[in-house]
Amino acid sequence: MDIFTILISTMFVNNFVLARFLGICPFLGVSNKIETATGMSIAVTFVVTLSSVITYIIQVAILDTLGLEFLQTIVFILVIAALVQFVEMVMKKTSPTLYEALGVYLPLITTNCVVLGVAILNIQEGYNLIETIFNSVGASIGFGIALILISGLREQFEILDIPEALEGFPITLITAGLMSIAFLGFSGLV
């Protein structure tokens, strides 16, 4: 498969948030401000890409070689948890305000199904290391696009006159649904 096709496909056509509905918790929880959404996107990009590379190497070099494929999920979760702890420590030292803004959602990257989903799908799709990297980067960028788009819209909702029954979470869910439908328009692209 062409690398460009993988990248565009994971960013738009098979967007993990808007087409596969993975990673909804941080998508809805951290999308109040663009700054917070950008910070989360960067953290998720780092974790998804690095964890995908590490899990691919572990899968090929250890699990497949020793016939321990059944340990895939457990090993992948351990790798992801270690990387999230690393990101959390770095973010706490380098950007304490962003660390505080992300709050509980930063450690939740460990259980973010986008991170685990990308790592497992890389193996299931039979991608090589280069394709794994591009799929991971594309998935991360797609996650970031969705997160930043909805956070920009949610910031606008604060200044708009929205009916009281739709304020807050209801309008966010409606917007997420409409964004998902809009992203279906990319389905013929690849």
Side-chain angles (χ1 to χ4, degrees):
M1 188 178 263
D2 183 43
I3 292 174
F4 180 73
T5 305
I6 292 172
L7 192 63
I8 295 300
S9 173
T10 55
M11 284 176 17
F12 299 111
V13 179
N14 297 315
N15 185 292
F16 277 81
V17 176
L18 299 173
R20 295 184 184 219
F21 305 109
L22 296 174
I24 299 296
C25 178
F27 176 71
L28 295 174
V30 186
S31 60
N32 291 328
K33 302 271 184 238
I34 289 180
E35 296 83 24
T36 310
T38 304
M40 177 60 98
S41 298
I42 292 168
V44 167
T45 300
F46 178 77
V47 171
V48 166
T49 305
L50 196 57
S51 67
S52 291
V53 170
I54 292 171
T55 54
Y56 175 84
I57 292 168
I58 289 172
Q59 179 74 32
V60 171
I62 298 171
L63 299 179
D64 289 345
T65 305
L66 299 174
L68 300 173
E69 294 89 359
F70 62 92
L71 293 175
Q72 180 187 59
T73 305
I74 295 169
V75 170
F76 285 13
I77 289 172
L78 291 173
V79 168
I80 292 165
L83 286 172
V84 170
Q85 288 300 313
F86 175 72
V87 167
E88 194 172 355
M89 289 186 307
V90 169
M91 196 172 287
K92 190 173 185 179
K93 293 290 183 188
T94 59
S95 182
T97 55
L98 180 59
Y99 175 79
E100 291 297 323
L102 291 175
V104 71
Y105 294 100
L106 187 58
L108 282 178
I109 294 174
T110 303
T111 59
N112 186 345
C113 44
V114 169
V115 182
L116 183 59
V118 171
I120 290 175
L121 284 172
N122 286 333
I123 303 301
Q124 287 180 349
E125 294 292 328
Y127 291 148
N128 62 33
L129 185 59
I130 300 300
E131 292 169 337
T132 294
I133 292 169
F134 277 91
N135 187 53
S136 303
V137 169
S140 302
I141 292 171
F143 178 81
I145 288 170
L147 194 61
I148 291 169
L149 282 175
I150 198 158
S151 65
L153 291 170
R154 287 181 79 176
E155 283 186 1
Q156 292 297 313
F157 293 157
E158 292 178 10
I159 58 174
L160 294 175
D161 187 27
I162 296 174
E164 188 177 333
L166 294 177
E167 285 180 357
F169 205 62
I171 193 72
T172 302
L173 290 176
I174 292 168
T175 304
L178 292 173
M179 285 176 61
S180 181
I181 291 170
F183 268 68
L184 282 175
F186 293 119
S187 62
L189 187 65
V190 182

